[in-house]
Amino acid sequence: MLLLKDWKLHIIVLVFVLIGEAIGVKQFNLGVGTIALFPMLYVLIMGGIVSFPKLKWLNEGQMKKAAGILGISFLLFVAKLGSMLGPSLPKIFDAGVSLAVQEVGHVLGTIIIGLPIALLIGMKREAIGATFSIDREPNLAIISEKYGADSPEGRGALGVYICGTVFGAIYLAMLAGFLGSLGIFHPISLAMGAGVGSGSMMAAASGALAVTFPNDAEDIALFAAAANLISTILGTYLCVFFSLPVTARLYEWLEPKIGRTRKEAAK
């Protein structure tokens, strides 16, 4: 019944998948490195185009249903990776400290770099929600519980969430493929860096790395999944007890000093 009711949505998805698979993986040599593009990127771009409101290809209800199906798809993907994690637990335990410490970079990077930039471009309390984390689903729940979904902080977090959903996977896939081609970083190190706490971003980055390092494809998937799981679990506690309070405190200290609109009002 659902298939018949939303036949247009299913046909669009099928056509996009067929087009993406037909194009296949493409690599472009930039001299200092290589960028790998693979089917998921093409489908994301095509999906973004047909979702543009003025085209009227999809209505809001169909987009919400597509988002729900996407969540189920990632659950299946993570379940598959989970079945691969068990036999490789010794390898993961050997890299346990590295997996845990990288979460510090995920948190501090958004605060130290993101918050001042947000203030300089004129954001107000939206900057707190936008920069205390990478704003995936658990982080949205934290902000909603603390400030409310319709608060300035909630709008800032939701804005980053949408940008990450639309552009995050594309950006990380291109970045991972480029860094991997440089030959500076170990593929497992890059795989752990791919686990930022977002299933779509992890899938995109680990997929690009698997293309760049085909002999390490299985280990890349394993360590990316492990890092992503740890980032989701550990990152939730860090956001509640550290990054959100610190970001709020830094905002109160920095906003009067570098906030663009505050300076203009003072003049």
PDB file of all heavy atoms in Angstrom, residues 163-189:
ATOM      1  N   CYS A 163      22.804  21.569   7.273  1.00  0.00           N
ATOM      2  CA  CYS A 163      23.989  21.745   6.415  1.00  0.00           C
ATOM      3  C   CYS A 163      24.837  20.478   6.396  1.00  0.00           C
ATOM      4  O   CYS A 163      25.347  20.077   5.345  1.00  0.00           O
ATOM      5  CB  CYS A 163      24.818  22.927   6.905  1.00  0.00           C
ATOM      6  SG  CYS A 163      24.069  24.533   6.603  1.00  0.00           S
ATOM      7  N   GLY A 164      24.983  19.844   7.567  1.00  0.00           N
ATOM      8  CA  GLY A 164      25.751  18.608   7.630  1.00  0.00           C
ATOM      9  C   GLY A 164      25.101  17.489   6.851  1.00  0.00           C
ATOM     10  O   GLY A 164      25.769  16.686   6.193  1.00  0.00           O
ATOM     11  N   THR A 165      23.762  17.446   6.901  1.00  0.00           N
ATOM     12  CA  THR A 165      23.047  16.412   6.165  1.00  0.00           C
ATOM     13  C   THR A 165      23.185  16.602   4.660  1.00  0.00           C
ATOM     14  O   THR A 165      23.350  15.642   3.904  1.00  0.00           O
ATOM     15  CB  THR A 165      21.555  16.421   6.553  1.00  0.00           C
ATOM     16  OG1 THR A 165      21.431  16.187   7.965  1.00  0.00           O
ATOM     17  CG2 THR A 165      20.780  15.349   5.806  1.00  0.00           C
ATOM     18  N   VAL A 166      23.113  17.860   4.217  1.00  0.00           N
ATOM     19  CA  VAL A 166      23.147  18.142   2.778  1.00  0.00           C
ATOM     20  C   VAL A 166      24.573  18.100   2.232  1.00  0.00           C
ATOM     21  O   VAL A 166      24.838  17.502   1.183  1.00  0.00           O
ATOM     22  CB  VAL A 166      22.509  19.517   2.492  1.00  0.00           C
ATOM     23  CG1 VAL A 166      22.627  19.865   1.013  1.00  0.00           C
ATOM     24  CG2 VAL A 166      21.051  19.517   2.919  1.00  0.00           C
ATOM     25  N   PHE A 167      25.496  18.751   2.944  1.00  0.00           N
ATOM     26  CA  PHE A 167      26.852  18.903   2.409  1.00  0.00           C
ATOM     27  C   PHE A 167      27.910  18.063   3.126  1.00  0.00           C
ATOM     28  O   PHE A 167      28.999  17.870   2.590  1.00  0.00           O
ATOM     29  CB  PHE A 167      27.280  20.378   2.495  1.00  0.00           C
ATOM     30  CG  PHE A 167      26.363  21.318   1.781  1.00  0.00           C
ATOM     31  CD1 PHE A 167      25.570  22.204   2.489  1.00  0.00           C
ATOM     32  CD2 PHE A 167      26.276  21.313   0.403  1.00  0.00           C
ATOM     33  CE1 PHE A 167      24.719  23.078   1.840  1.00  0.00           C
ATOM     34  CE2 PHE A 167      25.426  22.185  -0.261  1.00  0.00           C
ATOM     35  CZ  PHE A 167      24.641  23.063   0.462  1.00  0.00           C
ATOM     36  N   GLY A 168      27.620  17.597   4.347  1.00  0.00           N
ATOM     37  CA  GLY A 168      28.640  16.928   5.145  1.00  0.00           C
ATOM     38  C   GLY A 168      29.216  15.687   4.499  1.00  0.00           C
ATOM     39  O   GLY A 168      30.438  15.489   4.474  1.00  0.00           O
ATOM     40  N   ALA A 169      28.349  14.829   3.976  1.00  0.00           N
ATOM     41  CA  ALA A 169      28.829  13.590   3.363  1.00  0.00           C
ATOM     42  C   ALA A 169      29.682  13.874   2.137  1.00  0.00           C
ATOM     43  O   ALA A 169      30.723  13.228   1.915  1.00  0.00           O
ATOM     44  CB  ALA A 169      27.643  12.699   2.996  1.00  0.00           C
ATOM     45  N   ILE A 170      29.259  14.846   1.331  1.00  0.00           N
ATOM     46  CA  ILE A 170      30.024  15.200   0.132  1.00  0.00           C
ATOM     47  C   ILE A 170      31.399  15.741   0.525  1.00  0.00           C
ATOM     48  O   ILE A 170      32.428  15.342  -0.031  1.00  0.00           O
ATOM     49  CB  ILE A 170      29.257  16.238  -0.701  1.00  0.00           C
ATOM     50  CG1 ILE A 170      27.921  15.659  -1.168  1.00  0.00           C
ATOM     51  CG2 ILE A 170      30.088  16.700  -1.896  1.00  0.00           C
ATOM     52  CD1 ILE A 170      27.032  16.652  -1.878  1.00  0.00           C
ATOM     53  N   TYR A 171      31.411  16.635   1.500  1.00  0.00           N
ATOM     54  CA  TYR A 171      32.667  17.252   1.933  1.00  0.00           C
ATOM     55  C   TYR A 171      33.626  16.207   2.500  1.00  0.00           C
ATOM     56  O   TYR A 171      34.813  16.169   2.136  1.00  0.00           O
ATOM     57  CB  TYR A 171      32.367  18.328   2.975  1.00  0.00           C
ATOM     58  CG  TYR A 171      33.594  18.854   3.682  1.00  0.00           C
ATOM     59  CD1 TYR A 171      34.471  19.718   3.046  1.00  0.00           C
ATOM     60  CD2 TYR A 171      33.880  18.453   4.991  1.00  0.00           C
ATOM     61  CE1 TYR A 171      35.604  20.190   3.699  1.00  0.00           C
ATOM     62  CE2 TYR A 171      35.002  18.925   5.642  1.00  0.00           C
ATOM     63  CZ  TYR A 171      35.857  19.788   4.993  1.00  0.00           C
ATOM     64  OH  TYR A 171      36.969  20.233   5.642  1.00  0.00           O
ATOM     65  N   LEU A 172      33.139  15.338   3.387  1.00  0.00           N
ATOM     66  CA  LEU A 172      34.021  14.354   4.017  1.00  0.00           C
ATOM     67  C   LEU A 172      34.507  13.317   3.016  1.00  0.00           C
ATOM     68  O   LEU A 172      35.637  12.833   3.120  1.00  0.00           O
ATOM     69  CB  LEU A 172      33.309  13.665   5.175  1.00  0.00           C
ATOM     70  CG  LEU A 172      33.250  14.450   6.487  1.00  0.00           C
ATOM     71  CD1 LEU A 172      32.693  13.583   7.604  1.00  0.00           C
ATOM     72  CD2 LEU A 172      34.630  14.964   6.885  1.00  0.00           C
ATOM     73  N   ALA A 173      33.665  12.937   2.063  1.00  0.00           N
ATOM     74  CA  ALA A 173      34.096  11.970   1.054  1.00  0.00           C
ATOM     75  C   ALA A 173      35.245  12.531   0.222  1.00  0.00           C
ATOM     76  O   ALA A 173      36.250  11.851  -0.026  1.00  0.00           O
ATOM     77  CB  ALA A 173      32.930  11.599   0.156  1.00  0.00           C
ATOM     78  N   MET A 174      35.112  13.773  -0.206  1.00  0.00           N
ATOM     79  CA  MET A 174      36.167  14.394  -1.000  1.00  0.00           C
ATOM     80  C   MET A 174      37.424  14.618  -0.166  1.00  0.00           C
ATOM     81  O   MET A 174      38.540  14.378  -0.633  1.00  0.00           O
ATOM     82  CB  MET A 174      35.666  15.712  -1.578  1.00  0.00           C
ATOM     83  CG  MET A 174      34.500  15.547  -2.544  1.00  0.00           C
ATOM     84  SD  MET A 174      33.847  17.110  -3.195  1.00  0.00           S
ATOM     85  CE  MET A 174      35.228  17.634  -4.211  1.00  0.00           C
ATOM     86  N   LEU A 175      37.245  15.042   1.096  1.00  0.00           N
ATOM     87  CA  LEU A 175      38.391  15.280   1.965  1.00  0.00           C
ATOM     88  C   LEU A 175      39.129  13.983   2.275  1.00  0.00           C
ATOM     89  O   LEU A 175      40.369  13.930   2.226  1.00  0.00           O
ATOM     90  CB  LEU A 175      37.928  15.941   3.264  1.00  0.00           C
ATOM     91  CG  LEU A 175      39.021  16.244   4.297  1.00  0.00           C
ATOM     92  CD1 LEU A 175      40.010  17.269   3.738  1.00  0.00           C
ATOM     93  CD2 LEU A 175      38.412  16.757   5.594  1.00  0.00           C
ATOM     94  N   ALA A 176      38.378  12.914   2.579  1.00  0.00           N
ATOM     95  CA  ALA A 176      39.002  11.628   2.908  1.00  0.00           C
ATOM     96  C   ALA A 176      39.773  11.067   1.711  1.00  0.00           C
ATOM     97  O   ALA A 176      40.899  10.579   1.860  1.00  0.00           O
ATOM     98  CB  ALA A 176      37.937  10.635   3.365  1.00  0.00           C
ATOM     99  N   GLY A 177      39.157  11.139   0.526  1.00  0.00           N
ATOM    100  CA  GLY A 177      39.844  10.643  -0.662  1.00  0.00           C
ATOM    101  C   GLY A 177      41.101  11.440  -0.963  1.00  0.00           C
ATOM    102  O   GLY A 177      42.136  10.879  -1.344  1.00  0.00           O
ATOM    103  N   PHE A 178      41.033  12.750  -0.768  1.00  0.00           N
ATOM    104  CA  PHE A 178      42.184  13.605  -1.031  1.00  0.00           C
ATOM    105  C   PHE A 178      43.310  13.340  -0.036  1.00  0.00           C
ATOM    106  O   PHE A 178      44.466  13.150  -0.425  1.00  0.00           O
ATOM    107  CB  PHE A 178      41.754  15.071  -0.958  1.00  0.00           C
ATOM    108  CG  PHE A 178      42.882  16.045  -1.166  1.00  0.00           C
ATOM    109  CD1 PHE A 178      43.403  16.252  -2.424  1.00  0.00           C
ATOM    110  CD2 PHE A 178      43.419  16.738  -0.100  1.00  0.00           C
ATOM    111  CE1 PHE A 178      44.446  17.143  -2.623  1.00  0.00           C
ATOM    112  CE2 PHE A 178      44.455  17.630  -0.280  1.00  0.00           C
ATOM    113  CZ  PHE A 178      44.975  17.835  -1.550  1.00  0.00           C
ATOM    114  N   LEU A 179      42.991  13.298   1.266  1.00  0.00           N
ATOM    115  CA  LEU A 179      44.018  13.052   2.284  1.00  0.00           C
ATOM    116  C   LEU A 179      44.623  11.664   2.138  1.00  0.00           C
ATOM    117  O   LEU A 179      45.826  11.479   2.331  1.00  0.00           O
ATOM    118  CB  LEU A 179      43.418  13.222   3.682  1.00  0.00           C
ATOM    119  CG  LEU A 179      43.004  14.637   4.079  1.00  0.00           C
ATOM    120  CD1 LEU A 179      42.352  14.630   5.459  1.00  0.00           C
ATOM    121  CD2 LEU A 179      44.199  15.584   4.064  1.00  0.00           C
ATOM    122  N   GLY A 180      43.785  10.694   1.783  1.00  0.00           N
ATOM    123  CA  GLY A 180      44.301   9.340   1.602  1.00  0.00           C
ATOM    124  C   GLY A 180      45.283   9.237   0.467  1.00  0.00           C
ATOM    125  O   GLY A 180      46.265   8.491   0.538  1.00  0.00           O
ATOM    126  N   SER A 181      45.046   9.997  -0.588  1.00  0.00           N
ATOM    127  CA  SER A 181      45.921   9.929  -1.754  1.00  0.00           C
ATOM    128  C   SER A 181      47.270  10.606  -1.523  1.00  0.00           C
ATOM    129  O   SER A 181      48.210  10.380  -2.283  1.00  0.00           O
ATOM    130  CB  SER A 181      45.227  10.570  -2.953  1.00  0.00           C
ATOM    131  OG  SER A 181      45.075  11.967  -2.748  1.00  0.00           O
ATOM    132  N   LEU A 182      47.368  11.424  -0.482  1.00  0.00           N
ATOM    133  CA  LEU A 182      48.632  12.121  -0.212  1.00  0.00           C
ATOM    134  C   LEU A 182      49.709  11.179   0.298  1.00  0.00           C
ATOM    135  O   LEU A 182      50.897  11.468   0.184  1.00  0.00           O
ATOM    136  CB  LEU A 182      48.407  13.243   0.807  1.00  0.00           C
ATOM    137  CG  LEU A 182      47.519  14.411   0.359  1.00  0.00           C
ATOM    138  CD1 LEU A 182      47.361  15.409   1.498  1.00  0.00           C
ATOM    139  CD2 LEU A 182      48.097  15.090  -0.872  1.00  0.00           C
ATOM    140  N   GLY A 183      49.314  10.057   0.904  1.00  0.00           N
ATOM    141  CA  GLY A 183      50.271   9.093   1.425  1.00  0.00           C
ATOM    142  C   GLY A 183      50.918   9.517   2.735  1.00  0.00           C
ATOM    143  O   GLY A 183      51.921   8.921   3.151  1.00  0.00           O
ATOM    144  N   ILE A 184      50.381  10.518   3.405  1.00  0.00           N
ATOM    145  CA  ILE A 184      50.950  11.003   4.671  1.00  0.00           C
ATOM    146  C   ILE A 184      50.375  10.239   5.858  1.00  0.00           C
ATOM    147  O   ILE A 184      51.086   9.905   6.803  1.00  0.00           O
ATOM    148  CB  ILE A 184      50.672  12.513   4.830  1.00  0.00           C
ATOM    149  CG1 ILE A 184      51.299  13.290   3.676  1.00  0.00           C
ATOM    150  CG2 ILE A 184      51.194  13.019   6.168  1.00  0.00           C
ATOM    151  CD1 ILE A 184      50.946  14.766   3.674  1.00  0.00           C
ATOM    152  N   PHE A 185      49.071   9.924   5.798  1.00  0.00           N
ATOM    153  CA  PHE A 185      48.375   9.317   6.928  1.00  0.00           C
ATOM    154  C   PHE A 185      48.138   7.834   6.689  1.00  0.00           C
ATOM    155  O   PHE A 185      47.923   7.394   5.550  1.00  0.00           O
ATOM    156  CB  PHE A 185      47.032  10.014   7.162  1.00  0.00           C
ATOM    157  CG  PHE A 185      47.146  11.497   7.383  1.00  0.00           C
ATOM    158  CD1 PHE A 185      46.872  12.393   6.349  1.00  0.00           C
ATOM    159  CD2 PHE A 185      47.530  11.994   8.610  1.00  0.00           C
ATOM    160  CE1 PHE A 185      46.972  13.749   6.543  1.00  0.00           C
ATOM    161  CE2 PHE A 185      47.637  13.364   8.815  1.00  0.00           C
ATOM    162  CZ  PHE A 185      47.363  14.240   7.776  1.00  0.00           C
ATOM    163  N   HIS A 186      48.161   7.078   7.773  1.00  0.00           N
ATOM    164  CA  HIS A 186      47.843   5.656   7.695  1.00  0.00           C
ATOM    165  C   HIS A 186      46.351   5.503   7.417  1.00  0.00           C
ATOM    166  O   HIS A 186      45.533   6.248   7.953  1.00  0.00           O
ATOM    167  CB  HIS A 186      48.208   4.973   9.018  1.00  0.00           C
ATOM    168  CG  HIS A 186      48.233   3.476   8.927  1.00  0.00           C
ATOM    169  ND1 HIS A 186      47.070   2.726   8.983  1.00  0.00           N
ATOM    170  CD2 HIS A 186      49.259   2.605   8.782  1.00  0.00           C
ATOM    171  CE1 HIS A 186      47.386   1.443   8.879  1.00  0.00           C
ATOM    172  NE2 HIS A 186      48.707   1.341   8.747  1.00  0.00           N
ATOM    173  N   PRO A 187      45.955   4.530   6.592  1.00  0.00           N
ATOM    174  CA  PRO A 187      44.530   4.379   6.280  1.00  0.00           C
ATOM    175  C   PRO A 187      43.654   4.136   7.501  1.00  0.00           C
ATOM    176  O   PRO A 187      42.503   4.585   7.550  1.00  0.00           O
ATOM    177  CB  PRO A 187      44.498   3.173   5.321  1.00  0.00           C
ATOM    178  CG  PRO A 187      45.831   2.522   5.450  1.00  0.00           C
ATOM    179  CD  PRO A 187      46.784   3.594   5.818  1.00  0.00           C
ATOM    180  N   ILE A 188      44.183   3.433   8.525  1.00  0.00           N
ATOM    181  CA  ILE A 188      43.389   3.190   9.729  1.00  0.00           C
ATOM    182  C   ILE A 188      43.200   4.484  10.513  1.00  0.00           C
ATOM    183  O   ILE A 188      42.144   4.729  11.097  1.00  0.00           O
ATOM    184  CB  ILE A 188      44.047   2.114  10.614  1.00  0.00           C
ATOM    185  CG1 ILE A 188      44.200   0.811   9.823  1.00  0.00           C
ATOM    186  CG2 ILE A 188      43.226   1.863  11.874  1.00  0.00           C
ATOM    187  CD1 ILE A 188      42.904   0.284   9.247  1.00  0.00           C
ATOM    188  N   SER A 189      44.223   5.335  10.510  1.00  0.00           N
ATOM    189  CA  SER A 189      44.092   6.636  11.171  1.00  0.00           C
ATOM    190  C   SER A 189      43.012   7.474  10.502  1.00  0.00           C
ATOM    191  O   SER A 189      42.179   8.103  11.175  1.00  0.00           O
ATOM    192  CB  SER A 189      45.435   7.373  11.127  1.00  0.00           C
ATOM    193  OG  SER A 189      45.318   8.674  11.668  1.00  0.00           O
TER     194      SER A 189
END
